[in-house]
Amino acid sequence: MTKIPVGEAASQLSDLVRRVAHDGETITLTDGEAAALLVSPQMVEDLEDALAVADYERRKAQGTLAPGIPHAEVRRILGLRP
């Protein structure tokens, strides 16, 4: 993970965004200590997905999952053939 002071980041923003977007690099902006991260949207989506799966597994293990929707009902709602 690359660290760069916030003051320096301003003049390099285009390059930093390119590195994050195209190379998947994570960049830490510092102001004496970590102040912010530049991360790709894909990384955020992956983290959100992982959190959702972990939450599902936790609720499943605790027995607190709400009842689901039967497959046939989902197909009907979506207008798909049975």
Side-chain angles (χ1 to χ4, degrees):
M1 185 179 325
T2 303
K3 295 181 180 182
I4 184 166
V6 172
E8 290 180 29
S11 65
Q12 301 175 38
L13 190 57
S14 293
D15 180 56
L16 296 174
V17 169
R18 182 196 54 74
R19 288 164 51 185
V20 169
H22 297 291
D23 303 335
E25 187 175 348
T26 297
I27 298 174
T28 303
L29 303 179
T30 62
D31 190 15
E33 59 186 55
L37 295 174
L38 295 178
V39 298
S40 70
Q42 185 62 52
M43 178 180 279
V44 173
E45 289 175 17
D46 291 348
L47 289 170
E48 289 173 342
D49 288 347
L51 284 172
V53 169
D55 183 55
Y56 169 82
E57 293 295 336
R58 178 188 56 79
R59 290 183 292 130
K60 182 178 175 183
Q62 292 174 335
T64 59
L65 281 177
I69 300 173
H71 185 76
E73 178 66 9
V74 171
R75 292 186 65 78
R76 185 193 66 73
I77 291 169
L78 296 175
L80 302 173
R81 297 180 190 178

